[in-house]
Amino acid sequence: MSMFDIEEKVAKVISVLPNKIKIEINNIEQFKLQSEKFSVGSYLRVSDSEDCALICIIENFTIQKEENKDSIYLIEAMPIGFLDVDGKFTRGGNNIAIPPTDVETAKNEEIQQIYDSIEIDSKFCFATLSQDKSIKVPVNGNKFFNKHIAVVGSTGSGKSHTVAKILQEATLTKNVGYKNLNNSHIVIFDIHSEYHTAFPHANYLDVDSLFLPYWLMNGEELEELLVETGENQAYNQSSLLRRIITRNKQTTHDNSNLTYDAPVKFSVSEVLNCLLNLSRETKNYKSPNKMSIKSNEQSFETDEEKFDFYFKKQYEFEEAKSQSFSKGTYNDGSLEKFISRIRNKYLDKRLEFLFGEKSESHTFESTLRQILGYEEDGESNVTIIDLSGVPFEVLSITVSLISRLIFEYGYHYKKMLEKVQSNNEVNLEYAPILLVYEEAHKYVPKNSSAKYNASRVSIERIAKEGRKYGVSAMIVSQRPSEISETIFSQCSNFVSMRLTNPEDQNYVKRLMPDTLGPLTDSLPTLKEGDAILLGDALIMPSLVTIDRCAPSPSSNDIMYLEHWKKEWLDISFDKLAERWIK
């Protein structure tokens, strides 16, 4: 008689709840013989038939020991989906049979069959099942990259290796017969300079080779950079800056229709000249429209005429002491700090990637080519933006500007594509882009500080609308609870590694699209390289081990004791100081 006959059931369902089942096992050793791996996270099949079954994942188990009786083992498992007679797997636990129902550990071939049900053209794999390394756990690559990804984990959990492995696999995936680079386009915001070793042939841009012309910034980014939000005059300064820059763009390009946010060149030195003149100007007391420049009086009908005149050089004005002359509108000291702030930014050697001569010489087109890896001397799937040398006060603005440019590139490329196809012209292909935000909590935090407004707006827009235009995001963080909820709530796929902070654990549990109960309680105890993988791209939520990447990112821990045992090291402080000052 079989162990599944009613008289001799080793395991049976004893309780059915809305989102879980309870199973009683009277002989745990006999039950475990069916599988070498049996633990929390293992899979069970619940069925009265050999052909179809409800697949469940073990959440926890307890032992009940009564006097003069053998121990009884109770397992709680969460139904994940139904495997029908044709081998088709359907998510959902609505097929729970009324007990008693047979229970056994799921067969390896069944589990692999479930994972392999993803269409071959969409299959993308970077992990194996933690309970059985022989079982590969693929995801639907289209859904994985199209719907935003969250990779979270504390320091030392293997987060950087996981990101590198996913991206390495993406850049290597090709259709049969292709020998050149595939059409993947990935931009990594690398805040700790980790990923260059993992992608040695990447388009690597650090603070010395990155050029982002300041005139590509939109109004919000410019004001965040140049206006001190805490000052009493901040609103007036923003309004004046907006009017002057708009006029300078119109004058430079002889186009009165250009707006403040138009991505065209303007001269920050001319804007500074204009502000200096406004801060010193005096007027003819009897004729307010006449500016009293020494040995000359200049009359202007509009502010635009005045701005055009003030752009060219700094003027010396008559002193407003006699009854004939009065101070101009802005000659009250209210612009002094504003002018000093702009001048300091403009002359700051650390910001040459924004204001330097090489940056100014870049065109709109050449800037896009640089960011997307279409350089003249070669092409690359991966662009690494090394932010480690970018001053913290402009970190958020740098991320914002690049993110916004890529989003708008995706928008306009799609519109161009639609127009070309509607006119039956040469067929263009999509070139989707993945933006990887490493340590995202540093530039899109949850707090509403004005200095993060620009980056928050840019990245939230990508999170909410980017996938329509072929721009998706991978949010990577060790402190997910500190990231804007709008951004995280748009992620449909999660790779959640070890999290030791209770606040982060609870935050991630609330955001996860599947309710895994006690399985998510294992977040603080996961081994390095292990992760809970779940989301729209996965057949069923799984506890996985991420495949090792090669080459690796330079995120390995420094071996303190090993180095401390060595002989005293003589440090070249002169070279260190030279680099530091530079």
Side-chain angles (χ1 to χ4, degrees):
M1 188 175 289
S2 167
M3 68 184 237
F4 293 107
D5 289 342
I6 294 177
E7 295 84 357
E8 297 184 11
K9 282 184 180 291
V10 173
K12 62 181 179 181
V13 175
I14 60 170
S15 175
V16 177
L17 302 174
N19 61 348
K20 68 176 64 178
I21 60 175
K22 289 186 178 180
I23 300 161
E24 179 186 287
I25 301 176
N26 56 40
N27 188 330
I28 193 70
E29 295 303 323
Q30 188 174 351
F31 188 77
K32 287 170 64 176
L33 287 175
Q34 301 170 56
S35 174
E36 294 181 4
K37 303 289 183 181
F38 180 71
S39 61
V40 171
S42 295
Y43 295 100
L44 302 175
R45 70 188 320 271
V46 180
S47 175
D48 282 325
S49 167
E50 287 293 322
D51 299 323
C52 54
L54 183 70
I55 302 298
C56 306
I57 188 169
I58 297 175
E59 290 189 338
N60 59 62
F61 62 91
T62 57
I63 303 173
Q64 284 188 354
K65 190 170 181 64
E66 299 180 12
E67 192 174 349
N68 300 322
K69 290 185 178 180
D70 292 336
S71 297
I72 295 176
Y73 298 84
L74 296 179
I75 290 179
E76 288 189 350
M78 185 187 75
I80 295 176
F82 189 73
L83 189 65
D84 65 19
V85 66
D86 297 321
K88 183 180 178 181
F89 181 77
T90 306
R91 286 287 295 271
N94 299 323
N95 296 295
I96 301 177
I98 299 300
T101 304
D102 295 337
V103 181
E104 62 180 323
T105 54
K107 302 179 181 70
N108 280 10
E109 56 269 23
E110 280 183 323
I111 299 301
Q112 190 66 70
Q113 180 183 359
I114 291 171
Y115 285 124
D116 287 342
S117 62
I118 297 174
E119 294 180 7
I120 187 68
D121 289 341
S122 303
K123 192 175 293 185
F124 180 77
C125 190
F126 56 88
T128 56
L129 199 63
S130 291
Q131 289 82 12
D132 190 336
K133 300 296 192 298
S134 67
I135 297 177
K136 303 290 287 183
V137 182
V139 299
N140 183 311
N142 290 321
K143 292 181 178 179
F144 187 69
F145 291 109
N146 176 262
K147 293 191 174 182
H148 306 312
I149 309 158
V151 181
V152 297
S154 301
T155 299
S157 63
K159 191 166 68 274
S160 299
H161 284 260
T162 297
V163 172
K165 179 61 181 178
I166 292 171
L167 302 184
Q168 286 172 353
E169 287 297 317
T171 58
L172 293 174
T173 302
K174 299 178 184 177
N175 288 332
V176 176
Y178 287 2
K179 295 181 180 180
N180 299 324
L181 296 177
N182 67 8
N183 194 37
S184 59
H185 302 273
I186 298 164
V187 178
I188 306 174
F189 294 96
D190 185 3
I191 204 162
H192 293 307
S193 192
E194 294 179 321
Y195 289 96
H196 197 198
T197 56
F199 301 94
H201 303 296
N203 174 33
Y204 178 74
L205 302 174
D206 61 5
V207 73
D208 296 323
S209 56
L210 173 66
F211 298 109
L212 288 173
Y214 62 85
W215 48 265
L216 284 175
M217 294 184 188
N218 65 12
E220 193 164 35
E221 291 156 354
L222 282 167
E223 288 166 27
E224 188 175 312
L225 178 67
L226 301 176
V227 178
E228 182 57 65
T229 55
E231 288 188 12
N232 294 331
Q233 294 291 324
Y235 177 79
N236 293 330
Q237 291 172 5
S238 295
S239 177
L240 182 61
L241 184 70
R242 186 176 291 264
R243 293 167 59 202
I244 293 175
I245 289 178
T246 302
R247 183 57 187 171
N248 193 263
K249 288 182 177 182
Q250 294 172 348
T251 303
T252 302
H253 299 276
D254 194 22
N255 183 350
S256 60
N257 294 320
L258 288 176
T259 63
Y260 185 38
D261 288 331
V264 296
K265 287 187 178 182
F266 72 92
S267 171
V268 72
S269 61
E270 290 186 4
V271 168
L272 193 55
N273 265 341
C274 185
L275 286 169
L276 282 164
N277 287 325
L278 287 171
S279 71
R280 297 169 182 172
E281 74 176 2
T282 54
K283 299 179 179 180
N284 184 305
Y285 186 80
K286 296 180 180 179
S287 304
N289 287 338
K290 290 186 177 180
M291 303 301 109
S292 305
I293 299 169
K294 276 197 172 180
S295 304
N296 182 24
E297 282 192 334
Q298 192 75 28
S299 180
F300 305 109
E301 294 297 325
T302 64
D303 282 345
E304 283 72 23
E305 287 183 21
K306 186 200 297 186
F307 293 162
D308 292 348
F309 186 75
Y310 283 173
F311 283 146
K312 301 308 175 186
K313 62 180 180 179
Q314 295 177 33
Y315 295 99
E316 189 176 355
F317 294 88
E318 296 285 355
E319 292 187 26
K321 289 183 178 180
S322 68
Q323 291 184 347
S324 302
F325 303 110
S326 63
K327 289 186 177 183
T329 306
Y330 300 99
N331 191 350
D332 58 358
S334 61
L335 295 181
E336 294 305 316
K337 286 184 179 179
F338 184 37
I339 291 170
S340 176
R341 180 179 173 84
I342 295 177
R343 184 190 287 114
N344 290 340
K345 295 287 185 184
Y346 183 52
L347 300 176
D348 192 338
K349 293 296 183 183
R350 300 175 305 158
L351 303 184
E352 285 197 340
F353 71 97
L354 289 172
F355 295 109
E357 289 184 14
K358 288 185 178 178
S359 187
E360 280 206 64
S361 67
H362 267 251
T363 64
F364 188 22
E365 180 185 339
S366 66
T367 303
L368 284 176
R369 284 182 170 276
Q370 179 195 42
I371 294 172
L372 295 174
Y374 284 88
E375 294 282 27
E376 293 181 2
D377 56 349
E379 298 172 341
S380 175
N381 296 110
V382 177
T383 296
I384 297 174
I385 311 290
D386 187 344
L387 300 172
S388 60
V390 174
F392 183 76
E393 60 266 29
V394 297
L395 176 63
S396 173
I397 297 167
T398 303
V399 174
S400 169
L401 175 54
I402 296 172
S403 299
R404 183 177 55 79
L405 286 175
I406 292 176
F407 175 85
E408 293 180 0
Y409 160 83
Y411 170 81
H412 290 289
Y413 184 87
K414 183 180 180 182
K415 294 301 180 184
M416 183 179 70
L417 195 65
E418 291 171 350
K419 184 176 181 180
V420 166
Q421 292 175 344
S422 66
N423 293 337
N424 295 319
E425 297 178 26
V426 178
N427 193 31
L428 294 177
E429 295 283 350
Y430 277 106
I433 301 168
L434 175 67
L435 298 177
V436 181
Y437 295 100
E438 178 70 36
E439 301 288 10
H441 57 275
K442 291 187 179 293
Y443 34 85
V444 277
K446 190 185 298 185
N447 71 61
S448 56
S449 173
K451 66 180 179 180
Y452 299 112
N453 278 346
S455 59
R456 184 183 298 107
V457 169
S458 294
I459 300 175
E460 284 183 356
R461 190 180 182 194
I462 288 170
K464 290 185 285 188
E465 305 174 39
R467 51 189 295 265
K468 301 175 186 176
Y469 308 113
V471 181
S472 60
M474 177 185 285
I475 307 298
V476 186
S477 177
Q478 58 180 289
R479 292 306 314 274
S481 62
E482 295 182 1
I483 294 179
S484 164
E485 290 183 355
T486 302
I487 293 170
F488 245 133
S489 63
Q490 295 297 322
C491 294
S492 298
N493 298 290
F494 287 80
V495 183
S496 187
M497 314 192 80
R498 183 177 68 246
L499 283 169
T500 54
N501 186 292
E503 189 177 348
D504 293 327
Q505 296 166 20
N506 294 329
Y507 183 75
V508 169
K509 288 177 188 178
R510 292 198 309 269
L511 288 173
M512 283 183 171
D514 292 277
T515 304
L516 296 184
L519 185 58
T520 56
D521 291 339
S522 66
L523 282 173
T525 59
L526 292 176
K527 295 185 297 183
E528 181 181 346
D530 280 4
I532 297 172
L533 180 61
L534 72 164
D536 293 349
L538 197 66
I539 291 293
M540 57 184 177
S542 305
L543 182 60
V544 302
T545 299
I546 307 298
D547 298 339
R548 296 298 295 176
C549 63
S552 300
S554 57
S555 59
N556 294 324
D557 294 334
I558 295 174
M559 309 304 289
Y560 269 66
L561 189 59
E562 184 177 315
H563 287 287
W564 281 355
K565 289 178 180 178
K566 295 179 181 178
E567 189 177 352
W568 180 266
L569 180 65
D570 186 20
I571 296 174
S572 301
F573 283 97
D574 53 343
K575 292 182 179 179
L576 178 64
E578 182 182 349
R579 175 181 173 80
W580 195 330
I581 294 169
K582 181 182 177 181

mmCIF file of all heavy atoms in Angstrom, residues 521-551:
data_model
loop_
_atom_site.group_PDB
_atom_site.id
_atom_site.type_symbol
_atom_site.label_atom_id
_atom_site.label_comp_id
_atom_site.label_asym_id
_atom_site.label_seq_id
_atom_site.Cartn_x
_atom_site.Cartn_y
_atom_site.Cartn_z
ATOM 1 N N ASP A 521 10.787 37.150 6.393
ATOM 2 C CA ASP A 521 11.395 37.307 7.716
ATOM 3 C C ASP A 521 12.840 36.821 7.739
ATOM 4 O O ASP A 521 13.574 37.081 8.686
ATOM 5 C CB ASP A 521 10.587 36.541 8.779
ATOM 6 C CG ASP A 521 9.228 37.180 9.018
ATOM 7 O OD1 ASP A 521 9.078 38.369 8.702
ATOM 8 O OD2 ASP A 521 8.322 36.476 9.505
ATOM 9 N N SER A 522 13.239 36.092 6.689
ATOM 10 C CA SER A 522 14.619 35.605 6.614
ATOM 11 C C SER A 522 15.571 36.650 6.061
ATOM 12 O O SER A 522 16.771 36.400 5.950
ATOM 13 C CB SER A 522 14.676 34.343 5.724
ATOM 14 O OG SER A 522 14.348 34.658 4.374
ATOM 15 N N LEU A 523 15.066 37.848 5.736
ATOM 16 C CA LEU A 523 15.917 38.895 5.161
ATOM 17 C C LEU A 523 17.169 39.190 5.988
ATOM 18 O O LEU A 523 18.249 39.362 5.428
ATOM 19 C CB LEU A 523 15.109 40.182 4.962
ATOM 20 C CG LEU A 523 14.176 40.210 3.748
ATOM 21 C CD1 LEU A 523 13.310 41.465 3.774
ATOM 22 C CD2 LEU A 523 14.960 40.146 2.451
ATOM 23 N N PRO A 524 17.078 39.245 7.340
ATOM 24 C CA PRO A 524 18.297 39.569 8.097
ATOM 25 C C PRO A 524 19.284 38.418 8.216
ATOM 26 O O PRO A 524 20.406 38.621 8.677
ATOM 27 C CB PRO A 524 17.754 39.962 9.481
ATOM 28 C CG PRO A 524 16.453 39.270 9.587
ATOM 29 C CD PRO A 524 15.888 39.216 8.199
ATOM 30 N N THR A 525 18.890 37.200 7.796
ATOM 31 C CA THR A 525 19.771 36.037 7.977
ATOM 32 C C THR A 525 20.249 35.434 6.667
ATOM 33 O O THR A 525 20.898 34.392 6.683
ATOM 34 C CB THR A 525 19.048 34.959 8.805
ATOM 35 O OG1 THR A 525 17.848 34.566 8.127
ATOM 36 C CG2 THR A 525 18.698 35.483 10.189
ATOM 37 N N LEU A 526 19.929 36.058 5.545
ATOM 38 C CA LEU A 526 20.357 35.516 4.257
ATOM 39 C C LEU A 526 21.881 35.511 4.147
ATOM 40 O O LEU A 526 22.559 36.415 4.627
ATOM 41 C CB LEU A 526 19.778 36.345 3.109
ATOM 42 C CG LEU A 526 18.259 36.278 2.891
ATOM 43 C CD1 LEU A 526 17.853 37.239 1.775
ATOM 44 C CD2 LEU A 526 17.825 34.869 2.540
ATOM 45 N N LYS A 527 22.410 34.471 3.505
ATOM 46 C CA LYS A 527 23.849 34.391 3.283
ATOM 47 C C LYS A 527 24.266 35.398 2.212
ATOM 48 O O LYS A 527 23.458 35.861 1.420
ATOM 49 C CB LYS A 527 24.243 32.983 2.837
ATOM 50 C CG LYS A 527 24.008 31.899 3.870
ATOM 51 C CD LYS A 527 24.548 30.566 3.378
ATOM 52 C CE LYS A 527 23.815 30.097 2.135
ATOM 53 N NZ LYS A 527 24.269 28.774 1.666
ATOM 54 N N GLU A 528 25.555 35.714 2.199
ATOM 55 C CA GLU A 528 26.077 36.586 1.145
ATOM 56 C C GLU A 528 25.834 35.939 -0.216
ATOM 57 O O GLU A 528 26.165 34.774 -0.437
ATOM 58 C CB GLU A 528 27.578 36.818 1.332
ATOM 59 C CG GLU A 528 28.184 37.731 0.288
ATOM 60 C CD GLU A 528 29.678 37.932 0.467
ATOM 61 O OE1 GLU A 528 30.192 37.580 1.540
ATOM 62 O OE2 GLU A 528 30.324 38.443 -0.477
ATOM 63 N N GLY A 529 25.243 36.682 -1.106
ATOM 64 C CA GLY A 529 24.962 36.166 -2.449
ATOM 65 C C GLY A 529 23.595 35.548 -2.594
ATOM 66 O O GLY A 529 23.172 35.242 -3.715
ATOM 67 N N ASP A 530 22.867 35.357 -1.483
ATOM 68 C CA ASP A 530 21.504 34.832 -1.546
ATOM 69 C C ASP A 530 20.515 35.980 -1.596
ATOM 70 O O ASP A 530 20.778 37.073 -1.071
ATOM 71 C CB ASP A 530 21.193 33.952 -0.339
ATOM 72 C CG ASP A 530 21.769 32.548 -0.492
ATOM 73 O OD1 ASP A 530 22.460 32.308 -1.505
ATOM 74 O OD2 ASP A 530 21.537 31.696 0.383
ATOM 75 N N ALA A 531 19.355 35.737 -2.209
ATOM 76 C CA ALA A 531 18.359 36.801 -2.343
ATOM 77 C C ALA A 531 16.975 36.204 -2.496
ATOM 78 O O ALA A 531 16.810 35.059 -2.941
ATOM 79 C CB ALA A 531 18.679 37.674 -3.559
ATOM 80 N N ILE A 532 15.984 36.980 -2.098
ATOM 81 C CA ILE A 532 14.601 36.650 -2.420
ATOM 82 C C ILE A 532 14.300 37.349 -3.735
ATOM 83 O O ILE A 532 14.400 38.573 -3.849
ATOM 84 C CB ILE A 532 13.632 37.131 -1.321
ATOM 85 C CG1 ILE A 532 13.930 36.408 -0.007
ATOM 86 C CG2 ILE A 532 12.193 36.880 -1.735
ATOM 87 C CD1 ILE A 532 13.155 36.938 1.175
ATOM 88 N N LEU A 533 13.957 36.558 -4.734
ATOM 89 C CA LEU A 533 13.704 37.074 -6.076
ATOM 90 C C LEU A 533 12.216 36.941 -6.363
ATOM 91 O O LEU A 533 11.660 35.847 -6.287
ATOM 92 C CB LEU A 533 14.531 36.275 -7.089
ATOM 93 C CG LEU A 533 14.433 36.650 -8.563
ATOM 94 C CD1 LEU A 533 14.898 38.072 -8.792
ATOM 95 C CD2 LEU A 533 15.277 35.693 -9.415
ATOM 96 N N LEU A 534 11.571 38.051 -6.665
ATOM 97 C CA LEU A 534 10.140 38.001 -6.940
ATOM 98 C C LEU A 534 9.723 39.194 -7.768
ATOM 99 O O LEU A 534 10.448 40.172 -7.888
ATOM 100 C CB LEU A 534 9.336 37.948 -5.638
ATOM 101 C CG LEU A 534 9.261 39.205 -4.771
ATOM 102 C CD1 LEU A 534 8.131 39.067 -3.775
ATOM 103 C CD2 LEU A 534 10.558 39.429 -4.033
ATOM 104 N N GLY A 535 8.536 39.065 -8.372
ATOM 105 C CA GLY A 535 8.024 40.154 -9.182
ATOM 106 C C GLY A 535 7.320 39.659 -10.428
ATOM 107 O O GLY A 535 7.148 38.451 -10.642
ATOM 108 N N ASP A 536 6.931 40.602 -11.270
ATOM 109 C CA ASP A 536 6.174 40.270 -12.478
ATOM 110 C C ASP A 536 6.956 39.397 -13.454
ATOM 111 O O ASP A 536 6.371 38.676 -14.251
ATOM 112 C CB ASP A 536 5.761 41.565 -13.199
ATOM 113 C CG ASP A 536 4.756 42.370 -12.405
ATOM 114 O OD1 ASP A 536 4.234 41.830 -11.410
ATOM 115 O OD2 ASP A 536 4.492 43.532 -12.769
ATOM 116 N N ALA A 537 8.283 39.482 -13.417
ATOM 117 C CA ALA A 537 9.105 38.769 -14.397
ATOM 118 C C ALA A 537 9.342 37.314 -14.019
ATOM 119 O O ALA A 537 9.847 36.548 -14.836
ATOM 120 C CB ALA A 537 10.448 39.472 -14.558
ATOM 121 N N LEU A 538 8.994 36.942 -12.796
ATOM 122 C CA LEU A 538 9.313 35.603 -12.300
ATOM 123 C C LEU A 538 8.065 34.732 -12.270
ATOM 124 O O LEU A 538 6.968 35.203 -11.951
ATOM 125 C CB LEU A 538 9.914 35.708 -10.897
ATOM 126 C CG LEU A 538 10.676 34.497 -10.374
ATOM 127 C CD1 LEU A 538 11.935 34.274 -11.211
ATOM 128 C CD2 LEU A 538 11.048 34.678 -8.917
ATOM 129 N N ILE A 539 8.239 33.464 -12.597
ATOM 130 C CA ILE A 539 7.122 32.527 -12.563
ATOM 131 C C ILE A 539 6.556 32.424 -11.157
ATOM 132 O O ILE A 539 5.351 32.461 -10.935
ATOM 133 C CB ILE A 539 7.580 31.128 -13.050
ATOM 134 C CG1 ILE A 539 7.902 31.185 -14.547
ATOM 135 C CG2 ILE A 539 6.513 30.084 -12.781
ATOM 136 C CD1 ILE A 539 6.702 31.431 -15.427
ATOM 137 N N MET A 540 7.434 32.287 -10.164
ATOM 138 C CA MET A 540 6.992 32.239 -8.772
ATOM 139 C C MET A 540 8.117 32.757 -7.889
ATOM 140 O O MET A 540 9.296 32.650 -8.231
ATOM 141 C CB MET A 540 6.597 30.813 -8.367
ATOM 142 C CG MET A 540 7.669 29.763 -8.542
ATOM 143 S SD MET A 540 7.016 28.128 -8.148
ATOM 144 C CE MET A 540 8.440 27.099 -8.517
ATOM 145 N N PRO A 541 7.789 33.370 -6.756
ATOM 146 C CA PRO A 541 8.819 33.902 -5.865
ATOM 147 C C PRO A 541 9.775 32.810 -5.421
ATOM 148 O O PRO A 541 9.357 31.685 -5.140
ATOM 149 C CB PRO A 541 8.022 34.481 -4.691
ATOM 150 C CG PRO A 541 6.694 33.837 -4.765
ATOM 151 C CD PRO A 541 6.438 33.543 -6.205
ATOM 152 N N SER A 542 11.058 33.149 -5.338
ATOM 153 C CA SER A 542 12.063 32.127 -5.080
ATOM 154 C C SER A 542 13.188 32.666 -4.208
ATOM 155 O O SER A 542 13.556 33.843 -4.300
ATOM 156 C CB SER A 542 12.670 31.630 -6.409
ATOM 157 O OG SER A 542 11.664 31.183 -7.286
ATOM 158 N N LEU A 543 13.727 31.765 -3.391
ATOM 159 C CA LEU A 543 14.947 32.048 -2.645
ATOM 160 C C LEU A 543 16.096 31.534 -3.496
ATOM 161 O O LEU A 543 16.213 30.328 -3.727
ATOM 162 C CB LEU A 543 14.907 31.344 -1.287
ATOM 163 C CG LEU A 543 16.095 31.580 -0.346
ATOM 164 C CD1 LEU A 543 16.226 33.056 -0.012
ATOM 165 C CD2 LEU A 543 15.937 30.766 0.922
ATOM 166 N N VAL A 544 16.955 32.451 -3.981
ATOM 167 C CA VAL A 544 17.955 32.075 -4.975
ATOM 168 C C VAL A 544 19.360 32.437 -4.504
ATOM 169 O O VAL A 544 19.551 33.225 -3.582
ATOM 170 C CB VAL A 544 17.680 32.773 -6.331
ATOM 171 C CG1 VAL A 544 16.300 32.428 -6.851
ATOM 172 C CG2 VAL A 544 17.845 34.287 -6.213
ATOM 173 N N THR A 545 20.327 31.821 -5.179
ATOM 174 C CA THR A 545 21.732 32.183 -5.026
ATOM 175 C C THR A 545 22.192 32.805 -6.338
ATOM 176 O O THR A 545 22.065 32.187 -7.399
ATOM 177 C CB THR A 545 22.590 30.955 -4.696
ATOM 178 O OG1 THR A 545 22.152 30.397 -3.458
ATOM 179 C CG2 THR A 545 24.064 31.343 -4.578
ATOM 180 N N ILE A 546 22.674 34.030 -6.279
ATOM 181 C CA ILE A 546 23.095 34.739 -7.493
ATOM 182 C C ILE A 546 24.387 34.118 -8.021
ATOM 183 O O ILE A 546 25.326 33.853 -7.258
ATOM 184 C CB ILE A 546 23.317 36.232 -7.200
ATOM 185 C CG1 ILE A 546 22.085 36.847 -6.519
ATOM 186 C CG2 ILE A 546 23.659 36.979 -8.480
ATOM 187 C CD1 ILE A 546 20.827 36.811 -7.337
ATOM 188 N N ASP A 547 24.445 33.883 -9.321
ATOM 189 C CA ASP A 547 25.668 33.362 -9.933
ATOM 190 C C ASP A 547 26.809 34.366 -9.745
ATOM 191 O O ASP A 547 26.582 35.576 -9.752
ATOM 192 C CB ASP A 547 25.455 33.106 -11.428
ATOM 193 C CG ASP A 547 24.382 32.052 -11.687
ATOM 194 O OD1 ASP A 547 24.095 31.266 -10.768
ATOM 195 O OD2 ASP A 547 23.825 32.043 -12.801
ATOM 196 N N ARG A 548 28.012 33.859 -9.600
ATOM 197 C CA ARG A 548 29.166 34.749 -9.435
ATOM 198 C C ARG A 548 29.467 35.463 -10.748
ATOM 199 O O ARG A 548 29.352 34.889 -11.833
ATOM 200 C CB ARG A 548 30.405 33.952 -9.001
ATOM 201 C CG ARG A 548 30.261 33.305 -7.641
ATOM 202 C CD ARG A 548 30.065 34.322 -6.537
ATOM 203 N NE ARG A 548 31.232 35.183 -6.369
ATOM 204 C CZ ARG A 548 31.270 36.200 -5.509
ATOM 205 N NH1 ARG A 548 30.202 36.502 -4.781
ATOM 206 N NH2 ARG A 548 32.356 36.939 -5.386
ATOM 207 N N CYS A 549 29.829 36.726 -10.627
ATOM 208 C CA CYS A 549 30.144 37.489 -11.823
ATOM 209 C C CYS A 549 31.655 37.442 -12.074
ATOM 210 O O CYS A 549 32.444 37.246 -11.163
ATOM 211 C CB CYS A 549 29.691 38.937 -11.677
ATOM 212 S SG CYS A 549 30.519 39.855 -10.364
ATOM 213 N N ALA A 550 32.020 37.627 -13.341
ATOM 214 C CA ALA A 550 33.439 37.655 -13.703
ATOM 215 C C ALA A 550 33.602 38.542 -14.927
ATOM 216 O O ALA A 550 32.951 38.308 -15.944
ATOM 217 C CB ALA A 550 33.943 36.248 -13.991
ATOM 218 N N PRO A 551 34.450 39.577 -14.821
ATOM 219 C CA PRO A 551 35.213 40.008 -13.636
ATOM 220 C C PRO A 551 34.312 40.660 -12.593
ATOM 221 O O PRO A 551 33.174 40.997 -12.878
ATOM 222 C CB PRO A 551 36.204 41.018 -14.212
ATOM 223 C CG PRO A 551 35.548 41.525 -15.461
ATOM 224 C CD PRO A 551 34.746 40.397 -16.018
#
